[in-house]
Each structure stands twice: as C-alpha cells, then as structure tokens.
Amino acid sequence: LFRFLVGLSLALAALVGIPLGLVAARFKKLGQIELLSVEILQTIPSLALLCFMIPLFGIGKIPSLVALFLYALLPIVRNTYTGMISLDRQLLEIAGVLGLNRWQKLLRIELPLSSLNILAGIKTSAVLTVGTATLAAFIGGGGYGTLIVRGLALDDMSITLAGAVPAAVMSLLIHALFEWLDRILIPRGLRKDFSYS
C-alpha cells in the first residue's frame, strides 16, 4: 500500500508536472501564475494539506493520494521550467534553420538537454513523497506511517522503527534507482559535465 501511494502519486505528478513546466517556459505570464500556484501548495504543511483533503474526499487512500500528488508537483514543475529556460537559444535557432518543427525540437533537443534538471526534480519529489506518505496514516491512508503512529501512541520504539526503517530504506532505494536512470536517460555529454559518468 505504501509503495502504491508513493509510486502512483509520483507518476501522476510527473505526468502533470512536466507538461506544466513546459507550458510555464513557453508562456511567461501564464508561467509565473502557474509557478506561484504550485509554490503556494508547497508552503502548506504536509499534515495540514492531508487534513484539507478530508472534507473533499473523506478519509483513506484517495485523499492521501491527492495530497501526495499536489505536494510532489513543485520540484518537478520548477526543475522542468528551469531546464527549459536555461537552454542555449542559439542552439534552438540552429535547430529551426535545420528544418525541425516544434515537436521535433522538443523531443530531439529540448527534452534531452533538460533531462538532468527534470530527473533531479522527479528524484527530489520522490524522496519528499516517501517522507510525506508516512503522515497519510493520520487520515487513514495506511502504509508504514500506521506503524509509526502506533509505536508513538504505545511508546514502543520497536513498532516505530518497524515503520520508520522500511520508509528510510525505500528512500535510499529510490535514490539509487534515479542514479541508475540518470545514466540511462541523460545524454553522455551532460553526464560528464555534471559528474554523472
């Protein structure tokens, strides 16, 4: 259940956050409003955001999933936006001269060159989501947080650790997974520049 909450909320955040970052980079005024909106979401304490979901969705997995999705958006949107606006304009102009249309430029040049930033944003969101997902137990979301809450209520360190240790191990495994993805998805030249080789 915990892995399901983390995996699905992160996948949804990436599916929504990357296009939002692309839109923010393309349309400056709309982008500023968009970035401000997701930044405001991030300023809400995670437990409070989970509690805000109760009147809308009740308790259980759905409000936990929605809250985790919203909380994971900012790093992905911000890093995608940063990667896109930091691209060399001259390189994009050359791509236009070569006859590449907007979609070809996006898929062959812009996204590959922005991949370092985009993956860093997803990695950050993944680690944050694991930590926040433990709080989902307070609104019936289940997962490792249930053991942590039970251990705290009973003042039993062994029960608390039974929830905390797997969550920490999962964070480390996610970090290792993204290090591996970096080597596969980021162009070799960028990996060398940023010591990912």
Side-chain angles (χ1 to χ4, degrees):
L1 177 60
F2 187 82
R3 291 189 292 272
F4 168 78
L5 278 176
V6 171
L8 184 55
S9 60
L10 185 64
L12 291 173
L15 286 173
V16 173
I18 293 173
L20 285 177
L22 296 175
V23 169
R26 287 276 191 272
F27 307 100
K28 301 299 181 184
K29 290 184 179 179
L30 176 62
Q32 293 307 309
I33 296 171
E34 182 186 300
L35 290 170
L36 179 62
S37 300
V38 293
E39 284 170 3
I40 289 172
L41 285 173
Q42 194 75 22
T43 63
I44 302 172
S46 51
L47 186 56
L49 184 61
L50 287 164
C51 292
F52 289 158
M53 296 296 112
I54 295 175
L56 298 173
F57 303 104
I59 60 172
K61 301 178 189 67
I62 299 300
S64 302
L65 184 63
V66 173
L68 291 173
F69 158 74
L70 293 174
Y71 214 64
L73 272 179
L74 178 60
I76 298 173
V77 175
R78 171 63 73 178
N79 278 47
T80 302
Y81 169 79
T82 302
M84 292 295 291
I85 64 168
S86 62
L87 293 176
D88 187 341
R89 297 295 108 185
Q90 188 175 9
L91 183 61
L92 298 179
E93 289 172 8
I94 293 171
V97 171
L98 292 174
L100 296 181
N101 62 36
R102 179 177 296 181
W103 286 106
Q104 288 173 325
K105 281 197 293 186
L106 177 66
L107 295 175
R108 296 183 182 180
I109 296 174
E110 293 173 313
L111 284 178
L113 291 178
S114 301
S115 59
L116 184 76
N117 291 82
I118 294 171
L119 277 175
I122 297 173
K123 184 194 298 183
T124 301
S125 286
V127 174
L128 288 174
T129 301
V130 170
T132 307
T134 58
L135 298 175
F138 287 103
I139 61 169
Y144 297 130
T146 304
L147 293 172
I148 296 172
V149 171
R150 186 183 304 160
L152 292 173
L154 297 174
D155 194 21
D156 189 326
M157 185 60 69
S158 61
I159 297 177
T160 302
L161 289 175
V165 170
V169 169
M170 188 172 177
S171 290
L172 293 173
L173 290 174
I174 287 173
H175 180 78
L177 171 64
F178 277 98
E179 289 294 321
W180 176 72
L181 286 175
D182 283 348
R183 295 177 181 275
I184 293 176
L185 299 177
I186 294 174
R188 184 179 297 274
L190 290 179
R191 292 206 311 268
K192 288 180 179 177
D193 290 343
F194 291 91
S195 299
Y196 276 91
S197 59

